[in-house]
Amino acid sequence: MKKIALVAAIAAAIPAFAQADVNIYGSLRAGVSVTKNSDNNYGSTFGVDDFGSRIGFRGKEDLGNGLKTIWQVETGFTVDGAGGTGTASGTLANRQSFVGLEGGFGTVRVGYINDVIGDTEATDNLYGPRRDSMGAGFPLYEATDVFGAYGDSRFKNSIRYDSPDFYGFNASAQYGAGESRAAGQMKQGEKYGVRLGYQNSGFFGAWVYSSQLNTGANKNSTINRIEGGYTSDSLYLAATYQWVTLYGNASALPGTANLSPVINTGVNKLENTAWALNAAYTIGKFKPSIVYSKRDNAKVDGTRYTLGASQWALGLDYTLSKSTLLEAGYGQVKENRDAQTINGHAKDTSSIYWAMIKHNF
């Protein structure tokens, strides 16, 4: 009787699963690398690494009249056993996770959602190991200024709307609730983002704006980014330009006291720009790719410091199947004098060689 009851329960559940349309998906990414940066005193260090593995569950339910419930729970982890924090921790839902509605009006989602800045990275197409603290394979507009940044990731406590496509144009609006307020201060951590995009006949472009409120002395940090390019079956070209105004405490960084003139203590204003170029060309199963990026010398409280850096990387992809990819590459970051000083780096150049395999399921 118990076996009959179990079979009956499974049979009854099958239509519900089919209606809910639940999918398991993921990406396993592992390989080897040789890094040379401040983490290993600029000595070449070989390692076996995770390159951003993740697993997820997503689904949808048809509510009728073109309306659907959509949801996703995604978790990052490491296949090399090293563990870590953030998306390397393996904590459930540490990557994009949400529930929402989809229909003719577009899509509305609530949860821990990719930010509009992170959806505007047309020149970021290579992979890298988690242990490369300098991110030598990635463009320098990604959270690498003196005060870091708050984009190119996800907004917590977020609501996001994405419009339907209208003759190639689309729009997104996003809010991330700040849920703390110190005595005598304004609400902290509130985030807003807006994105306008276009894609048609191989051409694409986007402008994105994001702001985090009250990051210092009730001042709002802002990021603007524009990108554009062209893609076809074989050719890929992209360019990115970014300008930022960020507030933070520069004097808390290790090498600030060694700058000339010395940066004032307290809340500081940083203004900077960065840009990147990316080109790739597919030849059969091979795809060589190159990226070059530059972070300009920033102003801190109106004074220009040599806080810039340049980065370049070469990669070669080989497609084994629809699901499996091999990639090998080399990347390098070279910091300007004040950037090296303020970060406490003994040398101005960091580099990485890598080779990895990625399998999507």
Side-chain angles (χ1 to χ4, degrees), residues 53-89:
S53 298
R54 73 283 307 265
I55 188 170
F57 305 86
R58 59 189 170 205
K60 57 187 176 182
E61 181 184 9
D62 192 342
L63 301 175
N65 298 317
L67 186 65
K68 294 179 181 179
T69 303
I70 57 172
W71 62 270
Q72 175 176 303
V73 178
E74 186 171 298
T75 302
F77 62 96
T78 59
V79 294
D80 61 348
T85 59
T87 59
S89 67

PDB file of all heavy atoms in Angstrom, residues 53-89:
ATOM      1  N   SER A  53      32.017  29.337 -10.820  1.00  0.00           N
ATOM      2  CA  SER A  53      30.987  28.310 -10.970  1.00  0.00           C
ATOM      3  C   SER A  53      29.699  28.731 -10.270  1.00  0.00           C
ATOM      4  O   SER A  53      29.715  29.469  -9.283  1.00  0.00           O
ATOM      5  CB  SER A  53      31.471  26.983 -10.396  1.00  0.00           C
ATOM      6  OG  SER A  53      32.607  26.527 -11.093  1.00  0.00           O
ATOM      7  N   ARG A  54      28.581  28.227 -10.788  1.00  0.00           N
ATOM      8  CA  ARG A  54      27.291  28.532 -10.184  1.00  0.00           C
ATOM      9  C   ARG A  54      26.264  27.467 -10.561  1.00  0.00           C
ATOM     10  O   ARG A  54      26.425  26.752 -11.563  1.00  0.00           O
ATOM     11  CB  ARG A  54      26.787  29.908 -10.588  1.00  0.00           C
ATOM     12  CG  ARG A  54      26.275  30.116 -12.009  1.00  0.00           C
ATOM     13  CD  ARG A  54      27.346  30.233 -13.065  1.00  0.00           C
ATOM     14  NE  ARG A  54      28.355  31.228 -12.782  1.00  0.00           N
ATOM     15  CZ  ARG A  54      28.321  32.477 -13.245  1.00  0.00           C
ATOM     16  NH1 ARG A  54      27.293  32.869 -13.985  1.00  0.00           N
ATOM     17  NH2 ARG A  54      29.313  33.308 -13.011  1.00  0.00           N
ATOM     18  N   ILE A  55      25.199  27.355  -9.749  1.00  0.00           N
ATOM     19  CA  ILE A  55      24.073  26.481 -10.038  1.00  0.00           C
ATOM     20  C   ILE A  55      22.796  27.234  -9.698  1.00  0.00           C
ATOM     21  O   ILE A  55      22.785  28.081  -8.793  1.00  0.00           O
ATOM     22  CB  ILE A  55      24.156  25.159  -9.243  1.00  0.00           C
ATOM     23  CG1 ILE A  55      23.071  24.182  -9.716  1.00  0.00           C
ATOM     24  CG2 ILE A  55      24.062  25.390  -7.743  1.00  0.00           C
ATOM     25  CD1 ILE A  55      23.231  22.782  -9.164  1.00  0.00           C
ATOM     26  N   GLY A  56      21.729  26.950 -10.454  1.00  0.00           N
ATOM     27  CA  GLY A  56      20.503  27.682 -10.212  1.00  0.00           C
ATOM     28  C   GLY A  56      19.260  26.873 -10.511  1.00  0.00           C
ATOM     29  O   GLY A  56      19.300  25.837 -11.185  1.00  0.00           O
ATOM     30  N   PHE A  57      18.153  27.383 -10.009  1.00  0.00           N
ATOM     31  CA  PHE A  57      16.825  26.827 -10.257  1.00  0.00           C
ATOM     32  C   PHE A  57      15.942  27.988 -10.716  1.00  0.00           C
ATOM     33  O   PHE A  57      15.947  29.051 -10.095  1.00  0.00           O
ATOM     34  CB  PHE A  57      16.243  26.208  -8.991  1.00  0.00           C
ATOM     35  CG  PHE A  57      17.133  25.178  -8.356  1.00  0.00           C
ATOM     36  CD1 PHE A  57      18.125  25.563  -7.456  1.00  0.00           C
ATOM     37  CD2 PHE A  57      16.995  23.844  -8.666  1.00  0.00           C
ATOM     38  CE1 PHE A  57      18.963  24.624  -6.876  1.00  0.00           C
ATOM     39  CE2 PHE A  57      17.819  22.895  -8.089  1.00  0.00           C
ATOM     40  CZ  PHE A  57      18.806  23.282  -7.195  1.00  0.00           C
ATOM     41  N   ARG A  58      15.206  27.785 -11.785  1.00  0.00           N
ATOM     42  CA  ARG A  58      14.311  28.840 -12.238  1.00  0.00           C
ATOM     43  C   ARG A  58      13.062  28.212 -12.848  1.00  0.00           C
ATOM     44  O   ARG A  58      13.065  27.047 -13.273  1.00  0.00           O
ATOM     45  CB  ARG A  58      14.997  29.755 -13.235  1.00  0.00           C
ATOM     46  CG  ARG A  58      15.515  29.092 -14.492  1.00  0.00           C
ATOM     47  CD  ARG A  58      16.362  30.071 -15.292  1.00  0.00           C
ATOM     48  NE  ARG A  58      17.059  29.397 -16.381  1.00  0.00           N
ATOM     49  CZ  ARG A  58      18.197  29.854 -16.919  1.00  0.00           C
ATOM     50  NH1 ARG A  58      18.752  30.963 -16.467  1.00  0.00           N
ATOM     51  NH2 ARG A  58      18.771  29.194 -17.904  1.00  0.00           N
ATOM     52  N   GLY A  59      12.029  29.001 -12.898  1.00  0.00           N
ATOM     53  CA  GLY A  59      10.788  28.479 -13.444  1.00  0.00           C
ATOM     54  C   GLY A  59       9.794  29.570 -13.707  1.00  0.00           C
ATOM     55  O   GLY A  59      10.041  30.762 -13.460  1.00  0.00           O
ATOM     56  N   LYS A  60       8.656  29.171 -14.242  1.00  0.00           N
ATOM     57  CA  LYS A  60       7.579  30.105 -14.527  1.00  0.00           C
ATOM     58  C   LYS A  60       6.258  29.364 -14.482  1.00  0.00           C
ATOM     59  O   LYS A  60       6.198  28.132 -14.634  1.00  0.00           O
ATOM     60  CB  LYS A  60       7.782  30.756 -15.896  1.00  0.00           C
ATOM     61  CG  LYS A  60       7.901  29.787 -17.063  1.00  0.00           C
ATOM     62  CD  LYS A  60       8.274  30.532 -18.333  1.00  0.00           C
ATOM     63  CE  LYS A  60       8.490  29.542 -19.492  1.00  0.00           C
ATOM     64  NZ  LYS A  60       8.892  30.234 -20.727  1.00  0.00           N
ATOM     65  N   GLU A  61       5.207  30.104 -14.264  1.00  0.00           N
ATOM     66  CA  GLU A  61       3.858  29.547 -14.239  1.00  0.00           C
ATOM     67  C   GLU A  61       2.960  30.424 -15.091  1.00  0.00           C
ATOM     68  O   GLU A  61       2.946  31.653 -14.923  1.00  0.00           O
ATOM     69  CB  GLU A  61       3.323  29.481 -12.814  1.00  0.00           C
ATOM     70  CG  GLU A  61       1.926  28.880 -12.730  1.00  0.00           C
ATOM     71  CD  GLU A  61       1.377  28.912 -11.328  1.00  0.00           C
ATOM     72  OE1 GLU A  61       1.995  29.555 -10.452  1.00  0.00           O
ATOM     73  OE2 GLU A  61       0.309  28.314 -11.120  1.00  0.00           O
ATOM     74  N   ASP A  62       2.233  29.811 -15.994  1.00  0.00           N
ATOM     75  CA  ASP A  62       1.316  30.541 -16.863  1.00  0.00           C
ATOM     76  C   ASP A  62       0.042  30.868 -16.086  1.00  0.00           C
ATOM     77  O   ASP A  62      -0.679  29.977 -15.643  1.00  0.00           O
ATOM     78  CB  ASP A  62       0.986  29.691 -18.089  1.00  0.00           C
ATOM     79  CG  ASP A  62       0.280  30.483 -19.187  1.00  0.00           C
ATOM     80  OD1 ASP A  62      -0.254  31.563 -18.875  1.00  0.00           O
ATOM     81  OD2 ASP A  62       0.276  30.026 -20.344  1.00  0.00           O
ATOM     82  N   LEU A  63      -0.218  32.177 -15.923  1.00  0.00           N
ATOM     83  CA  LEU A  63      -1.392  32.621 -15.176  1.00  0.00           C
ATOM     84  C   LEU A  63      -2.568  32.956 -16.089  1.00  0.00           C
ATOM     85  O   LEU A  63      -3.644  33.311 -15.610  1.00  0.00           O
ATOM     86  CB  LEU A  63      -1.039  33.864 -14.350  1.00  0.00           C
ATOM     87  CG  LEU A  63       0.101  33.684 -13.344  1.00  0.00           C
ATOM     88  CD1 LEU A  63       0.432  35.011 -12.674  1.00  0.00           C
ATOM     89  CD2 LEU A  63      -0.245  32.626 -12.301  1.00  0.00           C
ATOM     90  N   GLY A  64      -2.325  32.841 -17.410  1.00  0.00           N
ATOM     91  CA  GLY A  64      -3.375  33.149 -18.364  1.00  0.00           C
ATOM     92  C   GLY A  64      -3.326  34.591 -18.839  1.00  0.00           C
ATOM     93  O   GLY A  64      -2.734  35.467 -18.195  1.00  0.00           O
ATOM     94  N   ASN A  65      -3.920  34.834 -19.996  1.00  0.00           N
ATOM     95  CA  ASN A  65      -3.982  36.174 -20.571  1.00  0.00           C
ATOM     96  C   ASN A  65      -2.598  36.794 -20.774  1.00  0.00           C
ATOM     97  O   ASN A  65      -2.427  38.017 -20.633  1.00  0.00           O
ATOM     98  CB  ASN A  65      -4.842  37.101 -19.698  1.00  0.00           C
ATOM     99  CG  ASN A  65      -6.283  36.638 -19.605  1.00  0.00           C
ATOM    100  OD1 ASN A  65      -6.884  36.230 -20.600  1.00  0.00           O
ATOM    101  ND2 ASN A  65      -6.830  36.679 -18.393  1.00  0.00           N
ATOM    102  N   GLY A  66      -1.612  35.948 -21.087  1.00  0.00           N
ATOM    103  CA  GLY A  66      -0.273  36.437 -21.360  1.00  0.00           C
ATOM    104  C   GLY A  66       0.553  36.771 -20.131  1.00  0.00           C
ATOM    105  O   GLY A  66       1.686  37.262 -20.258  1.00  0.00           O
ATOM    106  N   LEU A  67       0.028  36.520 -18.939  1.00  0.00           N
ATOM    107  CA  LEU A  67       0.737  36.839 -17.697  1.00  0.00           C
ATOM    108  C   LEU A  67       1.379  35.584 -17.117  1.00  0.00           C
ATOM    109  O   LEU A  67       0.765  34.517 -17.094  1.00  0.00           O
ATOM    110  CB  LEU A  67      -0.241  37.441 -16.686  1.00  0.00           C
ATOM    111  CG  LEU A  67       0.353  37.980 -15.377  1.00  0.00           C
ATOM    112  CD1 LEU A  67       1.272  39.166 -15.660  1.00  0.00           C
ATOM    113  CD2 LEU A  67      -0.763  38.368 -14.412  1.00  0.00           C
ATOM    114  N   LYS A  68       2.637  35.716 -16.647  1.00  0.00           N
ATOM    115  CA  LYS A  68       3.362  34.582 -16.067  1.00  0.00           C
ATOM    116  C   LYS A  68       4.034  35.004 -14.769  1.00  0.00           C
ATOM    117  O   LYS A  68       4.509  36.130 -14.634  1.00  0.00           O
ATOM    118  CB  LYS A  68       4.429  34.077 -17.037  1.00  0.00           C
ATOM    119  CG  LYS A  68       3.875  33.477 -18.319  1.00  0.00           C
ATOM    120  CD  LYS A  68       4.999  33.023 -19.231  1.00  0.00           C
ATOM    121  CE  LYS A  68       4.447  32.446 -20.524  1.00  0.00           C
ATOM    122  NZ  LYS A  68       5.541  32.030 -21.441  1.00  0.00           N
ATOM    123  N   THR A  69       4.086  34.061 -13.831  1.00  0.00           N
ATOM    124  CA  THR A  69       4.953  34.199 -12.668  1.00  0.00           C
ATOM    125  C   THR A  69       6.324  33.663 -13.042  1.00  0.00           C
ATOM    126  O   THR A  69       6.430  32.598 -13.652  1.00  0.00           O
ATOM    127  CB  THR A  69       4.415  33.404 -11.472  1.00  0.00           C
ATOM    128  OG1 THR A  69       3.091  33.830 -11.170  1.00  0.00           O
ATOM    129  CG2 THR A  69       5.305  33.582 -10.257  1.00  0.00           C
ATOM    130  N   ILE A  70       7.387  34.382 -12.697  1.00  0.00           N
ATOM    131  CA  ILE A  70       8.749  33.930 -12.957  1.00  0.00           C
ATOM    132  C   ILE A  70       9.537  33.965 -11.654  1.00  0.00           C
ATOM    133  O   ILE A  70       9.271  34.777 -10.761  1.00  0.00           O
ATOM    134  CB  ILE A  70       9.449  34.803 -14.022  1.00  0.00           C
ATOM    135  CG1 ILE A  70       9.466  36.277 -13.590  1.00  0.00           C
ATOM    136  CG2 ILE A  70       8.773  34.644 -15.372  1.00  0.00           C
ATOM    137  CD1 ILE A  70      10.310  37.170 -14.490  1.00  0.00           C
ATOM    138  N   TRP A  71      10.497  33.062 -11.530  1.00  0.00           N
ATOM    139  CA  TRP A  71      11.329  33.046 -10.328  1.00  0.00           C
ATOM    140  C   TRP A  71      12.681  32.421 -10.635  1.00  0.00           C
ATOM    141  O   TRP A  71      12.846  31.706 -11.630  1.00  0.00           O
ATOM    142  CB  TRP A  71      10.637  32.269  -9.203  1.00  0.00           C
ATOM    143  CG  TRP A  71      10.388  30.819  -9.514  1.00  0.00           C
ATOM    144  CD1 TRP A  71       9.288  30.276 -10.106  1.00  0.00           C
ATOM    145  CD2 TRP A  71      11.266  29.726  -9.252  1.00  0.00           C
ATOM    146  NE1 TRP A  71       9.421  28.916 -10.239  1.00  0.00           N
ATOM    147  CE2 TRP A  71      10.632  28.538  -9.722  1.00  0.00           C
ATOM    148  CE3 TRP A  71      12.528  29.615  -8.663  1.00  0.00           C
ATOM    149  CZ2 TRP A  71      11.227  27.287  -9.621  1.00  0.00           C
ATOM    150  CZ3 TRP A  71      13.116  28.356  -8.562  1.00  0.00           C
ATOM    151  CH2 TRP A  71      12.459  27.211  -9.039  1.00  0.00           C
ATOM    152  N   GLN A  72      13.646  32.704  -9.788  1.00  0.00           N
ATOM    153  CA  GLN A  72      14.997  32.154  -9.948  1.00  0.00           C
ATOM    154  C   GLN A  72      15.717  32.180  -8.603  1.00  0.00           C
ATOM    155  O   GLN A  72      15.580  33.135  -7.837  1.00  0.00           O
ATOM    156  CB  GLN A  72      15.787  32.982 -10.958  1.00  0.00           C
ATOM    157  CG  GLN A  72      17.256  32.573 -11.105  1.00  0.00           C
ATOM    158  CD  GLN A  72      17.968  33.355 -12.179  1.00  0.00           C
ATOM    159  OE1 GLN A  72      17.550  33.363 -13.340  1.00  0.00           O
ATOM    160  NE2 GLN A  72      19.044  34.051 -11.808  1.00  0.00           N
ATOM    161  N   VAL A  73      16.478  31.132  -8.332  1.00  0.00           N
ATOM    162  CA  VAL A  73      17.375  31.076  -7.172  1.00  0.00           C
ATOM    163  C   VAL A  73      18.723  30.589  -7.682  1.00  0.00           C
ATOM    164  O   VAL A  73      18.825  29.462  -8.177  1.00  0.00           O
ATOM    165  CB  VAL A  73      16.839  30.133  -6.073  1.00  0.00           C
ATOM    166  CG1 VAL A  73      17.830  30.069  -4.917  1.00  0.00           C
ATOM    167  CG2 VAL A  73      15.474  30.592  -5.586  1.00  0.00           C
ATOM    168  N   GLU A  74      19.770  31.425  -7.597  1.00  0.00           N
ATOM    169  CA  GLU A  74      21.079  31.072  -8.144  1.00  0.00           C
ATOM    170  C   GLU A  74      22.156  31.207  -7.069  1.00  0.00           C
ATOM    171  O   GLU A  74      22.167  32.174  -6.303  1.00  0.00           O
ATOM    172  CB  GLU A  74      21.414  31.974  -9.335  1.00  0.00           C
ATOM    173  CG  GLU A  74      22.699  31.564 -10.048  1.00  0.00           C
ATOM    174  CD  GLU A  74      22.901  32.329 -11.354  1.00  0.00           C
ATOM    175  OE1 GLU A  74      22.038  32.182 -12.256  1.00  0.00           O
ATOM    176  OE2 GLU A  74      23.897  33.069 -11.455  1.00  0.00           O
ATOM    177  N   THR A  75      23.073  30.240  -7.053  1.00  0.00           N
ATOM    178  CA  THR A  75      24.105  30.172  -6.022  1.00  0.00           C
ATOM    179  C   THR A  75      25.469  29.983  -6.646  1.00  0.00           C
ATOM    180  O   THR A  75      25.667  29.103  -7.483  1.00  0.00           O
ATOM    181  CB  THR A  75      23.820  29.004  -5.055  1.00  0.00           C
ATOM    182  OG1 THR A  75      22.531  29.188  -4.462  1.00  0.00           O
ATOM    183  CG2 THR A  75      24.881  28.914  -3.974  1.00  0.00           C
ATOM    184  N   GLY A  76      26.428  30.812  -6.241  1.00  0.00           N
ATOM    185  CA  GLY A  76      27.814  30.651  -6.660  1.00  0.00           C
ATOM    186  C   GLY A  76      28.589  29.818  -5.667  1.00  0.00           C
ATOM    187  O   GLY A  76      28.329  29.865  -4.454  1.00  0.00           O
ATOM    188  N   PHE A  77      29.540  29.050  -6.162  1.00  0.00           N
ATOM    189  CA  PHE A  77      30.356  28.190  -5.303  1.00  0.00           C
ATOM    190  C   PHE A  77      31.691  27.938  -5.993  1.00  0.00           C
ATOM    191  O   PHE A  77      31.917  28.380  -7.119  1.00  0.00           O
ATOM    192  CB  PHE A  77      29.639  26.862  -5.014  1.00  0.00           C
ATOM    193  CG  PHE A  77      29.370  26.052  -6.259  1.00  0.00           C
ATOM    194  CD1 PHE A  77      30.234  25.037  -6.657  1.00  0.00           C
ATOM    195  CD2 PHE A  77      28.247  26.308  -7.040  1.00  0.00           C
ATOM    196  CE1 PHE A  77      29.991  24.300  -7.808  1.00  0.00           C
ATOM    197  CE2 PHE A  77      27.996  25.571  -8.188  1.00  0.00           C
ATOM    198  CZ  PHE A  77      28.869  24.572  -8.575  1.00  0.00           C
ATOM    199  N   THR A  78      32.584  27.232  -5.308  1.00  0.00           N
ATOM    200  CA  THR A  78      33.895  26.935  -5.885  1.00  0.00           C
ATOM    201  C   THR A  78      34.056  25.427  -6.066  1.00  0.00           C
ATOM    202  O   THR A  78      33.815  24.654  -5.139  1.00  0.00           O
ATOM    203  CB  THR A  78      35.027  27.446  -4.973  1.00  0.00           C
ATOM    204  OG1 THR A  78      34.924  26.833  -3.676  1.00  0.00           O
ATOM    205  CG2 THR A  78      34.944  28.956  -4.798  1.00  0.00           C
ATOM    206  N   VAL A  79      34.461  25.010  -7.264  1.00  0.00           N
ATOM    207  CA  VAL A  79      34.671  23.580  -7.509  1.00  0.00           C
ATOM    208  C   VAL A  79      36.067  23.127  -7.115  1.00  0.00           C
ATOM    209  O   VAL A  79      36.350  21.933  -7.146  1.00  0.00           O
ATOM    210  CB  VAL A  79      34.423  23.228  -8.993  1.00  0.00           C
ATOM    211  CG1 VAL A  79      32.970  23.443  -9.354  1.00  0.00           C
ATOM    212  CG2 VAL A  79      35.332  24.009  -9.914  1.00  0.00           C
ATOM    213  N   ASP A  80      36.947  24.069  -6.736  1.00  0.00           N
ATOM    214  CA  ASP A  80      38.300  23.680  -6.327  1.00  0.00           C
ATOM    215  C   ASP A  80      38.396  23.431  -4.821  1.00  0.00           C
ATOM    216  O   ASP A  80      39.472  23.111  -4.308  1.00  0.00           O
ATOM    217  CB  ASP A  80      39.323  24.739  -6.748  1.00  0.00           C
ATOM    218  CG  ASP A  80      39.072  26.091  -6.110  1.00  0.00           C
ATOM    219  OD1 ASP A  80      37.988  26.284  -5.518  1.00  0.00           O
ATOM    220  OD2 ASP A  80      39.957  26.963  -6.210  1.00  0.00           O
ATOM    221  N   GLY A  81      37.286  23.618  -4.097  1.00  0.00           N
ATOM    222  CA  GLY A  81      37.274  23.345  -2.660  1.00  0.00           C
ATOM    223  C   GLY A  81      37.852  24.457  -1.815  1.00  0.00           C
ATOM    224  O   GLY A  81      37.919  24.328  -0.591  1.00  0.00           O
ATOM    225  N   ALA A  82      38.247  25.580  -2.429  1.00  0.00           N
ATOM    226  CA  ALA A  82      38.889  26.658  -1.676  1.00  0.00           C
ATOM    227  C   ALA A  82      37.898  27.482  -0.873  1.00  0.00           C
ATOM    228  O   ALA A  82      38.257  28.102   0.122  1.00  0.00           O
ATOM    229  CB  ALA A  82      39.668  27.566  -2.624  1.00  0.00           C
ATOM    230  N   GLY A  83      36.644  27.514  -1.301  1.00  0.00           N
ATOM    231  CA  GLY A  83      35.654  28.318  -0.602  1.00  0.00           C
ATOM    232  C   GLY A  83      35.932  29.801  -0.771  1.00  0.00           C
ATOM    233  O   GLY A  83      36.709  30.226  -1.623  1.00  0.00           O
ATOM    234  N   GLY A  84      35.290  30.599   0.060  1.00  0.00           N
ATOM    235  CA  GLY A  84      35.493  32.037  -0.017  1.00  0.00           C
ATOM    236  C   GLY A  84      34.280  32.781   0.487  1.00  0.00           C
ATOM    237  O   GLY A  84      33.419  32.218   1.167  1.00  0.00           O
ATOM    238  N   THR A  85      34.222  34.067   0.163  1.00  0.00           N
ATOM    239  CA  THR A  85      33.102  34.905   0.570  1.00  0.00           C
ATOM    240  C   THR A  85      32.306  35.308  -0.670  1.00  0.00           C
ATOM    241  O   THR A  85      32.688  35.015  -1.798  1.00  0.00           O
ATOM    242  CB  THR A  85      33.610  36.159   1.293  1.00  0.00           C
ATOM    243  OG1 THR A  85      34.471  36.891   0.406  1.00  0.00           O
ATOM    244  CG2 THR A  85      34.386  35.793   2.549  1.00  0.00           C
ATOM    245  N   GLY A  86      31.209  36.008  -0.440  1.00  0.00           N
ATOM    246  CA  GLY A  86      30.401  36.484  -1.560  1.00  0.00           C
ATOM    247  C   GLY A  86      29.896  35.343  -2.414  1.00  0.00           C
ATOM    248  O   GLY A  86      29.395  34.326  -1.919  1.00  0.00           O
ATOM    249  N   THR A  87      30.067  35.454  -3.739  1.00  0.00           N
ATOM    250  CA  THR A  87      29.569  34.423  -4.641  1.00  0.00           C
ATOM    251  C   THR A  87      30.420  33.165  -4.634  1.00  0.00           C
ATOM    252  O   THR A  87      30.081  32.190  -5.304  1.00  0.00           O
ATOM    253  CB  THR A  87      29.486  34.956  -6.080  1.00  0.00           C
ATOM    254  OG1 THR A  87      30.775  35.378  -6.514  1.00  0.00           O
ATOM    255  CG2 THR A  87      28.508  36.122  -6.158  1.00  0.00           C
ATOM    256  N   ALA A  88      31.515  33.165  -3.879  1.00  0.00           N
ATOM    257  CA  ALA A  88      32.331  31.955  -3.734  1.00  0.00           C
ATOM    258  C   ALA A  88      31.956  31.153  -2.501  1.00  0.00           C
ATOM    259  O   ALA A  88      32.479  30.057  -2.286  1.00  0.00           O
ATOM    260  CB  ALA A  88      33.819  32.325  -3.662  1.00  0.00           C
ATOM    261  N   SER A  89      31.033  31.664  -1.693  1.00  0.00           N
ATOM    262  CA  SER A  89      30.757  31.065  -0.387  1.00  0.00           C
ATOM    263  C   SER A  89      29.919  29.800  -0.460  1.00  0.00           C
ATOM    264  O   SER A  89      29.947  28.980   0.468  1.00  0.00           O
ATOM    265  CB  SER A  89      30.030  32.080   0.499  1.00  0.00           C
ATOM    266  OG  SER A  89      28.735  32.358  -0.023  1.00  0.00           O
TER     267      SER A  89
END
